[in-house]
């Protein structure tokens, strides 16, 4: 029972609202021990049932949508992530030996990969719990976030293997410990060297970020604001950004809420502001259409007043935006911008939940993309987790990322996962213009180049491990 309580305590403080990074390494060990040492099908399911309850507690308020969704989303996630433990408890003796230590890590990475293809993406990934451990985070540039989760879970199976062999032989096996510690040493050394040899002479570009005013023509939430007030707020932000030496101003998601009748007026005013202030503008609008679905769009306007491209949100928040908004075509803009100074920078843009999807960003951005601009609207409970979750896209793909966020963390991060700027905004409707110097560095990571193959290694490896080490009997 001590292992069960330790597991539940560790699970509660791993991810969600309360995250203690070391707990992600501890609770799987305790769960494995309980699963393997407990007899009876229903007794083995006790931890899963209790974890579902704790998951609802630690994720409550973080999921978007109705009160019902605050319960079933965490419950569904916990059940899905319990599947690898169930598979391990059934197959680990059949696989046998040290190779059985890879059942659970491959299973967990597989579930995260499958989750990335579904509407919640990799929510509750082990990699997010380790954000801030910069040497370990560098592994995402090679194996993605699933590789970090694999390493964390592999620790638990190694510990269990040593414990079980000690109970059988009364001897501590040094070989599996040595193998794991050697791999961990290589991973951390790679990360340390990668961080130690960062080119500090790379040129930077100054970019402004702002929340806009998040209010519009005719809506009760946020409060109503006339179109002229939206334009005045936009002009003030643009003038502040240009006055501070920024070459581009990046607005948060739905920075201005306008009616369909006033959309062209807002865009035209933005084009004139770009010309007058000699600055590129990434404008973010919610366009409300009382006769149809609303739009959640970005408009890139260069310093000559040209609307270069527009982008509509491709991944809608289930239960919140589905049925209310139009859905984008899933094509990420990749644009080589010539900035007011004459310098060129290759940039891509997405909106909020789009950035949660590992494959979408990896496949949708081009190999020479230097900067990902993410316009976001969070809420207090999710701001810290969502920020850490999304910023792994920089490490995976080798570019910098800026998240311009309302009611959450506005952040800039370089290709190595180092935070260049972070501050919290709130939903007060005030303009908040800040500046950051973003490195124009760009390199193609192994994960960017062959991530598709790496992702499929986990489910294929799991399947081969199970099939090749089992004797299947067919009766007929």
């Amino acid at each position: 029972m001590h292992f069960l309580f330790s597991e539940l305590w560790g699970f509660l403080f791993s991810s969600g609202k309360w995250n203690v990074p070391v707990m992600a390494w501890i609770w799987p060990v305790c769960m494995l021990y309980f699963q393997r040492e407990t007899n009876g099908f229903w007794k083995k399911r006790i931890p899963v049932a209790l974890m579902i309850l704790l998951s609802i507690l630690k994720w409550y308020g973080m999921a978007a949508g109705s009160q019902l969704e605050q319960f079933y989303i965490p419950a569904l996630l916990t059940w899905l992530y319990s599947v690898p433990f169930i598979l391990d408890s059934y197959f680990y003796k059949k696989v046998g030996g040290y190779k059985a230590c890879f059942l659970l890590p491959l299973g967990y990475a597989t579930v995260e990969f499958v989750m990335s293809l579904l509407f919640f993406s990799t929510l509750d990934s082990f990699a997010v719990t380790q954000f801030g451990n910069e040497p370990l985070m560098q592994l995402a540039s090679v194996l993605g976030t699933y590789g970090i989760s694999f390493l964390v879970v592999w620790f638990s199976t190694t510990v269990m293997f040593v414990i079980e062999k000690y109970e059988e032989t009364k001897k501590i096996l040094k070989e599996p410990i040595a193998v794991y510690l050697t791999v961990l040493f290589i991973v951390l050394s790679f990360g340390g060297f990668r961080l130690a040899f960062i080119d500090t002479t790379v040129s930077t570009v100054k970019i402004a970020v702002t929340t806009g005013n998040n209010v519009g023509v005719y809506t009760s939430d946020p409060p109503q604001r006339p179109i002229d007030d939206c334009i005045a707020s936009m002009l003030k932000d643009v003038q502040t950004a240009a006055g501070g030496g920024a070459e581009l101003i990046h607005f948060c998601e739905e920075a201005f809420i306008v009616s369909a009748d006033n959309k062209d007026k807002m865009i035209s005013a933005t084009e004139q502001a770009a010309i007058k202030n000699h600055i590129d503008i990434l404008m973010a609008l919610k366009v409300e259409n009382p006769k149809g679905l609303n739009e959640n769009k970005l408009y890139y306007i260069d310093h000559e007043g040209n609307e270069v491209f527009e982008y509509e949100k491709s991944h809608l928040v289930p239960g919140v935006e589905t049925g209310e908004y139009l859905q984008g075509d899933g094509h990420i803009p990749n644009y080589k911008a010539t900035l007011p100074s004459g310098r060129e920078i290759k940039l891509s843009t997405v909106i909020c939940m789009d950035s949660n999807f590992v494959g979408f960003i990896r496949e949708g951005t081009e190999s020479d993309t230097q900067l990902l601009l993410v316009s976001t609207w969070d809420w207090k409970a999710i701001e810290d987790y969502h920020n850490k979750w999304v910023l792994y896209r920089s490490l995976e793909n080798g570019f910098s990322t800026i998240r311009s966020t309302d009611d959450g963390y506005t952040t800039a991060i370089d290709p190595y996962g180092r935070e260049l700027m972070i501050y919290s905004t709130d939903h007060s409707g005030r303009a908040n213009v800040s500046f950051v110097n973003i490195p124009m560095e760009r390199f193609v990571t192994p994960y960017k180049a062959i991530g598709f193959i790496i992702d499929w290694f986990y489910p294929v490896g799991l399947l081969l491990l199970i099939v090749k080490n089992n004797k299947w009997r067919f009766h007929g």
Side-chain angles (χ1 to χ4, degrees):
M1 290 300 288
H2 293 333
F3 277 89
L4 177 60
F5 287 124
S6 298
E7 174 219 326
L8 296 174
W9 186 256
F11 176 77
L12 180 62
F13 290 98
S14 172
S15 192
K17 286 183 284 191
W18 311 295
N19 182 54
V20 181
V22 70
M23 292 300 186
W25 300 77
I26 294 174
W27 75 259
V29 178
C30 300
M31 184 168 182
L32 269 180
Y33 189 89
F34 185 86
Q35 290 278 342
R36 294 182 181 183
E37 297 299 318
T38 301
N39 297 318
F41 177 85
W42 291 111
K43 287 184 178 180
K44 288 177 178 286
R45 303 289 86 82
I46 290 175
V48 177
L50 294 175
M51 286 166 64
I52 287 175
L53 295 176
L54 291 179
S55 185
I56 293 170
L57 176 63
K58 72 177 185 177
W59 286 100
Y60 187 81
M62 298 179 73
S66 65
Q67 287 294 319
L68 178 61
E69 288 168 314
Q70 302 293 331
F71 289 89
Y72 86 75
I73 291 175
L76 176 61
L77 287 172
T78 304
W79 181 81
L80 288 172
Y81 283 121
S82 72
V83 171
F85 288 92
I86 296 172
L87 286 175
D88 176 88
S89 65
Y90 182 76
F91 286 111
Y92 85 98
K93 286 185 177 179
K94 297 183 179 182
V95 173
Y98 182 64
K99 57 183 177 291
C101 289
F102 298 102
L103 267 173
L104 185 61
L106 286 171
Y108 210 94
T110 297
V111 170
E112 288 194 359
F113 169 56
V114 172
M115 288 287 291
S116 75
L117 306 176
L118 305 177
F119 48 84
F120 289 118
S121 189
T122 54
L123 187 64
D124 210 10
S125 167
F126 269 124
V128 181
T129 68
Q130 304 306 302
F131 190 91
N133 185 340
E134 291 184 354
L136 179 60
M137 289 169 61
Q138 304 309 307
L139 184 60
S141 68
V142 181
L143 298 179
T145 54
Y146 316 133
I148 297 175
S149 297
F150 180 97
L151 187 66
V152 172
V153 179
W154 183 23
F155 171 78
S156 65
T157 56
T158 299
V159 171
M160 273 303 303
F161 184 76
V162 173
I163 291 175
E164 288 173 340
K165 290 302 178 182
Y166 178 78
E167 290 177 347
E168 291 177 12
T169 65
K170 301 304 177 182
K171 294 181 180 180
I172 298 177
L173 291 184
K174 298 178 181 179
E175 291 83 356
I177 299 174
V179 170
Y180 185 84
L181 291 180
T182 299
V183 173
L184 183 61
F185 176 77
I186 293 171
V187 168
L188 296 178
S189 297
F190 162 75
F193 279 117
R194 193 167 188 258
L195 292 166
F197 292 99
I198 293 175
D199 184 2
T200 58
T201 64
V202 66
S203 61
T204 62
V205 58
K206 194 171 189 177
I207 294 178
V209 289
T210 180
T211 60
N213 70 0
N214 280 115
V215 291
V217 179
Y218 61 89
T219 180
S220 57
D221 182 22
Q224 290 187 7
R225 290 290 289 276
I227 184 64
D228 289 341
D229 285 3
C230 291
I231 292 173
S233 177
M234 178 272 296
L235 289 173
K236 182 180 178 182
D237 289 351
V238 171
Q239 289 166 1
T240 301
E247 299 199 66
L248 165 66
I249 180 170
H250 175 200
F251 284 90
C252 74
E253 182 181 11
E254 298 186 359
F256 303 97
I257 303 173
V258 301
S259 68
D261 293 338
N262 283 318
K263 179 180 76 170
D264 290 342
K265 184 176 181 179
M266 186 71 192
I267 293 174
S268 178
T270 305
E271 292 169 346
Q272 294 303 311
I275 296 170
K276 183 177 180 180
N277 294 277
H278 201 54
I279 189 173
D280 286 21
I281 301 173
L282 183 62
M283 173 54 63
L285 298 180
K286 175 184 178 182
V287 181
E288 293 193 326
N289 185 356
K291 297 181 180 179
L293 297 176
N294 300 323
E295 299 175 7
N296 187 350
K297 280 189 172 183
L298 300 177
Y299 302 84
Y300 193 97
I301 298 166
D302 68 17
H303 54 279
E304 295 179 348
N306 302 308
E307 184 185 317
V308 179
F309 66 79
E310 61 182 53
Y311 172 76
E312 189 155 31
K313 190 172 185 178
S314 297
H315 295 86
L316 304 181
V317 179
V320 177
E321 295 174 328
T322 50
E324 182 181 345
Y325 287 82
L326 290 170
Q327 188 167 10
D329 60 8
H331 176 73
I332 297 176
N334 294 279
Y335 173 59
K336 195 168 189 176
T338 301
L339 299 171
S341 65
R343 293 186 298 172
E344 294 183 336
I345 184 169
K346 185 68 170 286
L347 54 83
S348 303
T349 63
V350 293
I351 301 175
C352 199
M353 193 167 177
D354 293 329
S355 59
N356 298 356
F357 291 84
V358 176
F360 178 69
I361 300 298
R362 187 187 65 240
E363 302 298 330
T365 56
E366 296 179 351
S367 60
D368 58 345
T369 296
Q370 296 166 285
L371 176 62
L372 178 66
L373 298 173
V374 185
S375 293
T376 303
W377 189 345
D378 280 340
W379 56 97
K380 202 68 179 176
I382 195 70
E383 62 176 5
D384 183 58
Y385 186 89
H386 196 201
N387 180 60
K388 294 173 180 176
W389 185 13
V390 167
L391 294 181
Y392 268 107
R393 304 296 87 80
S394 281
L395 284 152
E396 293 162 350
N397 296 283
F399 48 57
S400 297
T401 298
I402 298 178
R403 297 179 73 241
S404 183
T405 308
D406 185 39
D407 202 17
Y409 283 118
T410 286
T411 319
I413 195 167
D414 72 5
Y416 301 93
R418 300 179 304 165
E419 289 178 329
L420 307 175
M421 174 190 70
I422 181 168
Y423 69 91
S424 182
T425 61
D426 58 36
H427 195 189
S428 62
R430 62 180 173 83
N432 189 353
V433 179
S434 296
F435 299 87
V436 61
N437 291 310
I438 284 289
M440 298 179 70
E441 187 176 13
R442 152 85 245 173
F443 46 82
V444 177
T445 65
Y447 189 71
K448 173 70 173 177
I450 58 171
F452 178 81
I453 297 173
I454 293 171
D455 288 351
W456 279 99
F457 163 79
Y458 302 109
V460 172
L462 177 64
L463 184 61
L464 289 176
L465 187 61
I466 292 174
V467 171
K468 290 190 69 175
N469 292 280
N470 279 272
K471 295 180 180 179
W472 305 96
R473 293 187 177 91
F474 297 92
H475 301 278

